[in-house]
């Protein structure tokens, strides 16, 4: 990545961080009157400033994930920027709608609206500053249904470990079924996002692709969510680290399984189908 592109990512990070502070600190959700106490920094008055500077790094990291798809993703600048921001936005929205005891009903819709606004700004700036047009023909996304199932199971297992074996902050035991349903939905969505983006990753070797999707695309989302969560609310950092680590580990395991035993099945079958087609239709 060149110096100019890096500076442009930092600019996107700074602008989105300012908007994040405005949306989440100036226009607080009813959550702050909920059951979970705000972080001690919130009472001191330093929280917006710390969130801003930390947010610059986090949103720069989030936006820079676009670099891994820019060269292979097809379409106009606008199409590519929207495609990438939508995929990120869907996962972030699911993260902030996780069922948790401190969240009130209004928080789910308010958080979703705020994330959509952040995504619009990110897409607009990516389109204007970094996206490149690619109009040659290429392969379209394809849904690997068994891959979606692998992601759902892997993410669900890791959340079970978090909730039951480690005992992280979550819904009470009587409502854990709701959390497990959310975890399965989150895993399925990660699987769909993987199917949508995996053909456009800059790394196409199996293991490298699994690591790139996990560490360059998903990890920034998970880390950013949990860090900002810890800056807003009074929760043990060990709890947040455990949740984040296990989420990333679950996605990495699923990505490795899918890349080794799932994805090539469609490609190989299609190659075999084309070979038989050309043999059957070859001139006598």
């Amino acid at each position: 990545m060149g110096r100019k592109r890096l500076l442009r990512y930092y600019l996107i990070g700074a602008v989105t961080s300012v908007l994040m502070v405005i949306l989440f600190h100036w226009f607080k959700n009813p959550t702050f009157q909920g059951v979970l106490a705000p972080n001690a920094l919130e009472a001191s008055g330093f929280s917006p400033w710390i969130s801003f500077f930390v947010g610059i790094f986090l949103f720069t990291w989030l936006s820079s994930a676009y670099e891994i798809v820019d060269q292979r993703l097809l379409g106009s600048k606008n199409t590519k920027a929207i495609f990438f921001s939508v995929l990120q936005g869907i996962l972030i929205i699911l993260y902030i709608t996780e069922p948790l005891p401190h969240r009130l009903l209004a928080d789910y819709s308010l958080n979703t609206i705020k994330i959509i606004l952040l995504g619009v700004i990110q897409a607009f700036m990516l389109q204007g500053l970094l996206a490149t047009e690619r109009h040659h023909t290429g392969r379209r996304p394809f849904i690997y249904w068994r891959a979606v199932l692998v992601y759902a199971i892997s993410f669900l297992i890791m959340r079970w470990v978090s909730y039951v074996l480690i005992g992280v902050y979550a819904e009470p035991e009587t409502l854990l079924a709701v959390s497990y349903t959310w975890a399965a939905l989150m895993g399925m969505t990660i699987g769909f996002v993987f199917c949508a983006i995996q053909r456009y990753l800059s790394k196409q070797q199996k293991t490298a692709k699994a690591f790139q999707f996990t560490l360059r695309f998903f990890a920034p989302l998970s880390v950013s969510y949990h860090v900002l969560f810890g800056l807003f609310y009074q929760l043990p950092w060990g709890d947040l680290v455990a949740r984040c680590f296990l989420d990333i580990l679950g996605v990495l395991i699923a990505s490795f399984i899918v890349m080794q035993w799932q994805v090539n099945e469609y490609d190989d079958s299609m190659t075999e189908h084309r070979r038989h087609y050309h043999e059957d239709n070859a001139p006598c």
Side-chain angles (χ1 to χ4, degrees):
M1 185 191 308
R3 183 179 178 182
K4 287 185 177 179
R5 288 183 71 85
L6 181 59
L7 290 175
R8 289 174 181 176
Y9 281 119
Y10 273 112
L11 177 60
I12 296 174
V15 172
T16 49
S17 185
V18 169
L19 183 59
M20 181 269 296
V21 170
I22 293 173
L23 292 175
F24 287 93
H25 283 278
W26 291 6
F27 299 97
K28 292 183 174 67
N29 286 5
T31 293
F32 278 85
Q33 287 77 47
V35 299
L36 189 63
N39 191 289
L41 292 171
E42 189 69 29
S44 69
F46 291 106
S47 184
W49 291 102
I50 295 176
S51 296
F52 168 69
F53 287 112
V54 173
I56 291 177
F57 168 75
L58 294 176
F59 286 113
T60 299
W61 190 23
L62 278 169
S63 300
S64 67
Y66 175 78
E67 201 71 14
I68 66 177
V69 299
D70 183 55
Q71 295 302 311
R72 292 176 61 89
L73 187 59
L74 306 178
S76 65
K77 294 181 179 181
N78 192 47
T79 300
K80 292 171 65 174
I82 292 175
F83 177 79
F84 174 80
S85 295
V86 166
L87 293 184
Q88 274 198 340
I90 289 172
L91 295 182
I92 296 175
I93 288 172
L94 275 174
Y95 251 136
I96 64 172
T97 54
E98 176 187 358
L100 290 172
H102 74 279
R103 286 187 174 141
L104 307 179
L105 187 60
D107 292 323
Y108 295 101
S109 55
L110 290 174
N111 285 337
T112 300
I113 293 171
K114 292 176 181 181
I115 293 302
I116 290 174
L117 290 174
L118 288 171
V120 169
I121 295 299
Q122 182 198 52
F124 177 77
M125 297 191 71
L126 283 174
Q127 183 269 332
L129 297 175
L130 291 157
T132 57
E133 294 193 9
R134 303 284 175 187
H135 291 297
H136 59 277
T137 58
R139 306 180 74 183
R140 295 173 180 264
F142 181 82
I143 303 299
Y144 306 90
W145 292 104
R146 282 189 291 178
V148 173
L149 181 61
V150 169
Y151 277 98
I153 293 174
S154 181
F155 198 87
L156 181 59
I157 290 173
M158 289 303 167
R159 276 307 173 113
W160 176 82
V161 173
S162 298
Y163 297 147
V164 177
L165 299 187
I166 298 179
V168 300
Y169 174 64
E171 292 281 21
E173 188 174 347
T174 54
L175 295 176
L176 272 184
V178 178
S179 295
Y180 290 136
T181 302
W182 172 87
L185 178 61
M186 181 71 174
M188 289 178 62
T189 306
I190 296 170
F192 282 118
V193 170
F194 172 82
C195 293
I197 204 174
Q198 64 92 13
R199 286 180 170 175
Y200 308 119
L201 297 175
S202 60
K203 304 287 187 183
Q204 288 295 303
Q205 191 270 340
K206 290 182 179 180
T207 303
K209 185 186 287 190
F211 277 102
Q212 187 174 60
F213 174 76
T214 303
L215 302 181
R216 289 295 308 278
F217 185 83
F218 178 76
L221 295 170
S222 185
V223 172
S224 297
Y225 166 74
H226 287 98
V227 168
L228 293 174
F229 196 178
L231 290 177
F232 274 83
Y233 300 103
Q234 194 68 39
L235 273 177
W237 281 101
D239 186 298
L240 296 172
V241 169
R243 290 162 58 97
C244 182
F245 173 77
L246 288 172
D247 285 358
I248 295 172
L249 180 62
V251 172
L252 180 61
I253 291 172
S255 300
F256 183 80
I257 292 173
V258 168
M259 288 310 307
Q260 295 298 322
W261 293 291
Q262 298 285 331
V263 168
N264 278 352
E265 179 178 347
Y266 171 78
D267 297 336
D268 294 342
S269 64
M270 289 302 294
T271 301
E272 188 72 12
H273 171 76
R274 293 190 188 100
R275 184 176 66 81
H276 287 305
Y277 175 85
H278 288 298
E279 288 176 354
D280 294 340
N281 291 274
C284 298

